[in-house]
Amino acid sequence: MFLSVRMVDLRKNLNNFARALFNMTEEKRSLNFIEQIIEEDLVEGLPQSSLRFRFPPEPNGYLHIGHAASICLNFGLGLRYGAPVNLRFDDTNPAKEEQEYVDAIMNDVKWLGFQWDKVLFSSDYFQQLFDWAVQLIKEGKAYVDQQSSDDIALQKGSPTTAGTDSPFRNRSVEENLSLFYKMKDGAFEEGSHVLRAKIDMQHVNMHMRDPIMYRILKKTHHRTGDDWCIYPMYDWTHGESDYIEQVSHSICTLEFKSHRDLYDWYVDQVYDKSLLRPKQREFARRNLSYTVMSKRKLLQLVEEGIVHGWDDPRMPTISGLRRRGYTPKAIRNFSEAAGISKRDNVADVALLEHCIKDDLNQTAPRVMAVLNPVKVIITNYPEESTEWLDAENNPEDEQAGSRKIPFSKELYIEREDFREVANKKFFRLKLGKEVRLKNAYIIKAESCVKDAQGEVVEIHCTYDPLSRSGSGTEESMRKVKGTLHWVSVAHAEKIAVRLYDRLFREEDPDGHKDKDFKEFINPDSLTVVEAYAEPSLQTATVLDRFQFQRLGYFCVDPDSTDTQKVFNRTVPLRDGWAKKDR
Ligand code: ATP
Ligand code: MG
């Protein structure tokens, strides 16, 4: 059973690795479809110097791994074509937006390793958008509607039935202008009036059936304060902002595909032919298994205390992943490996985990820590004696050097690494058998002491003094089946370790119509244990990452204090989840 599970894990990892490798080489070989579109535009005469991209977050939450796909795509295009990329905050809804989010988003984009050309805000265009709206009214292309939102919705029709004209559709230009100015001046209550584009209530595309351009919101905006009480809708703002900034390719997610007609219509109303006309193109959202990705849902997890904030290491946010121990490189590699797609799909979280393991394998110093300790006493080792043994910091990196670790008579090993009796496949410590202690000696278990409950409290071992690793003796080369990690009791640093597991038990927590996503929360997503680590960890600082040998990758949490360090498990070395699935 144990062996077969291991093989499943191994196969899974290999599959993931192969897939990632395939995608990476694929990336080198061929362009993604967005790049193909750009290449075609260049062939058709668009000067490369006109290329300009943007990443347009709404500052109503923290960025997540899905946003990272868009960031890597847009900034990646910038790098590929030597084109500027703006960070544009799409801040048209004062009810949900905050400066805290603006700051966090800028921090995350920088941390991911990207540099924007300009930081811009849609709210900076409020006056321009208003002026253009006035122009549309004057041209008979927009009108003030004062029906309830329910009535407006009813008149929209359906994909198979045409809509119905509003009774206010044919107001005079003068009346519309006067009402629109009154809306702007705060003369009306929220919800009482809207400005609508006058397009076509019979249009096959429902977004073209007189969409709302402005609504009244008597809310303070995080940047414009109380200057405005009417705010432009997303569709009206987005294309015009792209046009103002002369963005050549406005890349958004698939759900906006049906908005493209409207995007074009709005741009065409103000388009000056001497300038560039931006082009909207869509790619599939990045989804990830075993999590949710909408900011609204992530906010719910935060507000209901299900997680400890946006940067909780269980969150799929960039800040959560950072705190969990993820590197920017691993996130970028994941984005690349998962690829840019035209169709909705779900990336396997195992691929993300593969990417961080792959990166940390190259870069993380190896150390020893024992999470579930039981004491080993080496009966033939001198009392009070300490040897400082050489230990390589990273076998994958020659430059990483080595350190000294203390060895003494009393050690901790993992409780799971000892059994009084076990079958032949148990290559760890059992009575009468030998194992090697990593970077140290071969020991043999002679006997054990148990408490009243029958739990082993001490294992008495003998060691072979000639078997020290690296000592060059014949015994030091002697092969024994198992190698265990360990920590010297007298020198151990007591640490707290947060063992994270997936936040959801279900692969697609969003995919059940009759069930709320929160029903699938994994109640065991966080376990905190007291552990012992080698003393070299005393100097570790916040966000330093390590491999705890044989266990996984861990990173120092900001909750660490002078008296106790806290470590987050980024990812175990082996995938324990497959075991639980069975
Ligand atoms: P959410 O649904 O999570 O609230 P959003 O689309 O409202 O996301 P925005 O801040 O508007 O979030 O997104 C900024 C940019 O990132 C947009 O261009 C959006 O299309 C893109 N984006 C958002 N979520 C994803 C995702 N899961 N995969 C790829 N791109 C995304
Ligand atoms: Mg959005």
Side-chain angles (χ1 to χ4, degrees), residues 27 40 43 101 110 115 128 139 159 166 242 245 291 324 345 347 428 474 489 507 520 581:
E27 162 71 22
E40 280 161 23
V43 168
Y101 299 136
K110 264 193 265 175
Q115 185 54 60
Q128 173 68 80
E139 292 169 358
S166 159
D242 288 339
E245 293 169 14
T291 193
R324 177 87 172 242
N345 62 79
R428 293 173 271 169
E474 212 168 288
V489 172
E507 197 165 337
F520 301 107
D581 277 347

Side-chain angles (χ1 to χ4, degrees), residues 58 234 256 295:
E58 183 178 357
Y234 172 87
F256 289 101
K295 278 185 278 188

